[in-house]
Amino acid sequence: MAALFGYDDDREAASAAKVRALEALLIKKGVLGSDSIDAVLSHFETVAGPFNGARIVARAWLDSEYKRRLLQDTPKAIAELNFPGMDGAEGEHMKAVANSESVHNLVICTLCSCYPWPVLGLPPYWYKDPVFRARGVREPRAVLREFGVQISADKEVKVWDSSAQIRWFVIPERPAHSEHLTEAQLAALVTPEAMMGVALVPAPTAA
Amino acid sequence: MKLQHYLGGLEGLGPVNLEKRVFVAEWEKRIFGIHTVMMAESTHLDKALPKYPIAHVPTTFKETWTWASLRTGAEGMQPFEYFKYRYYEKWLMGISQFFVDRGYVAAEELATLTEHYRANPDAPLPAQPNLALKEQVVRYLNHGDSGLRAPITPVRFAVGDTVYVADPEAADHTRLPGFLRNKKGTVTEVYPGAYEYFVSTGPDGLVGPQHVYCVSFEASDIWGADKSEPHTVIYADLFDVYLKPAH
């Protein structure tokens, strides 16, 4: 599939010009304001993004009681942290699932690209890729190996296909040798990929 | 069957794409933004949760535009075309055609202005801010568009029930992953309340508020014991109409 992403400059320049023309016409015709799209993009830089999910995961690692509440009633536990916009678009109904010694979770959307915006922001390309969406439900372990994640045969793999209202995310396993880290240091280790289940959180490197 | 409804399980595709970026070209941000503003000013939002005062938002956009609109477009593409284009390329094609079809933009003026920006990539956009619309966009992003409704039908299944997945007619749009059709699963959760999808999917069955169940499927029950990985369970959230009792 890599070749599919190797577009020539012409294809990109054509799309860039077309979207700019469309935006210009929609502004002129009163469908958009010239500040509308920047308001959207700014939301995903400051309010909704993986920085929220990472802090939620770090809190769950440090506080097992919080983790229990997060798994039991995800929106309510997230609300405890007072982040803005947490029941916003594409996060109206979210659920967390936890990796453990015996279970590995993988989140997928085989029909489109449903993704928990408030806690993770916008989906990366791998998540939207038809190949991931096709293979993730049939051979999750093989797909995970391509992401560099080895799941032993005796571990259960749970694949969550988002097809109705719930937007799923994963609480990865806390890495070894992280006992001395603060909540912020722990959060810095957590990637969007780990919170969708295609990556593990590696042990921190010695300072 | 429509290929876009049956992506799950398709074989022979080669390695997955490991690209971690959300946008791989700057222009993709703009079409994502256009789509999201359209959702934020969609006329249906006066009925959505929360009930937005959408009639008072100063915009000439008088359409219902939701995820269902975008998905229906993608699922309506000729399948081989679908795979030729990158994610946001499909959005750009679908959304620009929508504005042409609905008469907001003439195909000729879009083509002419595209040529202009092609020759002058840095030519500015019109400066015409719209504060009230911007506020609605921010409201929408922060409060969403929930389909949660009061249930109007009884709950048909309980946790632990064995169910079979229905096999409705292939419609323009569905929320039933094709690989689950006719498969046997177990209800693992009955979600409180009922959910109304953005649009009716007609013969596919999403009409009005419905209960939603989380259903688990053994991978071996879907792909066959000798064709699936061990210890693998697939969970899917399925609307009531997509399920049948085991007997």
Side-chain angles (χ1 to χ4, degrees):
Chain A
M1 290 297 278
L4 275 183
F5 285 75
Y7 299 107
D8 53 36
D9 291 347
D10 191 61
R11 185 164 171 175
E12 295 306 324
S15 291
K18 186 173 179 182
V19 77
R20 200 162 173 81
L22 183 64
E23 185 179 350
L25 288 170
L26 295 178
I27 292 170
K28 216 173 88 184
K29 291 166 194 289
V31 170
L32 305 175
S34 50
D35 51 352
S36 303
I37 294 176
D38 289 341
V40 172
L41 298 176
S42 146
H43 180 82
F44 290 97
E45 284 161 16
T46 57
V47 178
F51 40 86
N52 294 322
R55 289 169 66 189
I56 292 163
V57 166
R59 176 66 58 92
W61 283 345
L62 288 172
D63 180 348
S64 58
E65 192 49 33
Y66 180 75
K67 181 176 171 181
R68 192 190 59 76
R69 295 198 297 277
L70 183 63
L71 292 169
Q72 192 174 38
D73 187 340
T74 302
K76 198 172 162 195
I78 292 175
E80 290 177 34
L81 304 182
N82 287 318
F83 300 160
M86 286 299 108
D87 55 357
E90 284 303 287
E92 294 92 345
H93 308 280
M94 294 190 285
K95 276 182 93 74
V97 285
N99 286 348
S100 69
E101 281 178 1
S102 54
V103 175
H104 183 86
N105 292 281
L106 173 68
V107 180
I108 196 167
C109 176
T110 61
L111 285 172
C112 50
S113 51
C114 296
Y115 198 73
W117 281 10
V119 295
L120 280 184
L122 299 173
Y125 254 99
W126 64 260
Y127 188 78
K128 304 175 284 205
D129 176 25
V131 179
F132 172 76
R133 291 160 51 205
R135 293 181 54 210
V137 285
R138 184 163 201 136
E139 41 175 359
R141 283 180 176 78
V143 165
L144 289 168
R145 276 196 295 277
E146 290 174 27
F147 279 94
V149 175
Q150 308 286 338
I151 303 293
S152 62
D154 55 349
K155 202 173 209 184
E156 184 178 32
V157 171
K158 295 184 173 184
V159 182
W160 302 87
D161 192 353
S162 319
S163 40
Q165 84 284 12
I166 299 293
R167 301 292 171 263
W168 300 90
F169 66 97
V170 177
I171 308 171
E173 280 188 277
R174 182 173 176 170
H177 313 301
S178 63
E179 300 76 13
H180 59 292
L181 297 186
T182 64
E183 191 168 318
Q185 288 169 325
L186 287 169
L189 301 174
V190 183
T191 61
E193 282 68 34
M195 290 183 280
M196 284 285 110
V198 298
L200 307 179
V201 180
T205 46
Chain B
M1 70 190 260
K2 292 175 74 172
L3 186 52
Q4 284 92 318
H5 297 166
Y6 284 81
L7 265 191
L10 205 60
E11 296 177 277
L13 296 173
V16 293
N17 189 295
L18 302 175
E19 176 59 63
K20 289 181 182 171
R21 285 176 294 170
V22 169
F23 301 107
V24 296
E26 275 301 299
W27 67 261
E28 294 182 336
K29 295 180 181 175
R30 308 313 288 184
I31 193 63
F32 167 73
I34 291 173
H35 161 72
T36 305
V37 176
M38 291 162 75
M39 291 201 297
E41 58 180 353
S42 170
T43 51
H44 84 287
L45 286 177
D46 58 348
K47 291 178 214 61
L49 274 184
K51 297 189 186 320
Y52 294 92
I54 203 70
H56 302 290
V57 174
T59 172
T60 56
F61 189 68
K62 299 296 170 203
E63 309 285 340
T64 293
W65 184 266
T66 67
W67 286 111
S69 321
L70 197 68
R71 292 169 185 159
T72 305
E75 291 168 29
M77 286 178 78
Q78 206 277 354
F80 304 137
E81 292 288 305
Y82 179 90
F83 290 99
K84 258 168 51 182
Y85 297 100
R86 205 167 65 217
Y87 188 75
Y88 287 115
E89 288 181 312
K90 292 191 280 259
W91 286 35
L92 177 56
M93 292 161 66
I95 290 169
S96 51
Q97 192 59 48
F98 172 82
F99 280 113
V100 171
D101 291 344
R102 301 294 296 166
Y104 287 84
V105 167
E108 302 74 37
E109 64 179 342
L110 180 60
T112 307
L113 198 57
T114 299
E115 282 314 307
H116 171 71
Y117 281 116
R118 190 71 187 271
N120 310 278
D122 299 323
L125 291 166
Q128 214 169 289
N130 182 337
L131 181 61
L133 175 55
K134 180 177 165 178
E135 285 169 352
Q136 168 59 21
V137 167
V138 170
R139 257 196 310 270
Y140 166 76
L141 286 168
N142 280 295
H143 301 289
D145 174 7
S146 169
L148 181 63
R149 304 286 183 266
I152 52 171
T153 50
V155 178
R156 285 201 299 151
F157 304 106
V159 170
D161 282 0
T162 299
V163 289
Y164 280 87
V165 177
D167 188 17
E169 222 177 288
D172 293 341
H173 182 36
T174 187
R175 293 310 292 166
L176 172 59
F179 71 97
L180 296 177
R181 283 172 184 250
N182 301 309
K183 301 300 182 187
K184 182 184 77 172
T186 305
V187 174
T188 61
E189 182 160 1
V190 181
Y191 293 108
Y195 290 85
E196 182 161 16
Y197 192 58
F198 299 112
V199 293
S200 160
T201 57
D204 169 75
L206 294 185
V207 183
Q210 301 190 11
H211 294 285
V212 179
Y213 307 86
C214 187
V215 181
S216 70
F217 301 86
E218 292 295 327
S220 53
D221 284 343
I222 297 179
W223 315 117
D226 53 343
K227 298 193 187 73
S228 54
E229 294 181 347
H231 304 304
T232 302
V233 183
I234 296 157
Y235 294 81
D237 296 321
L238 297 173
F239 287 92
D240 184 85
V241 72
Y242 295 144
L243 296 178
K244 298 186 298 192
H247 43 78

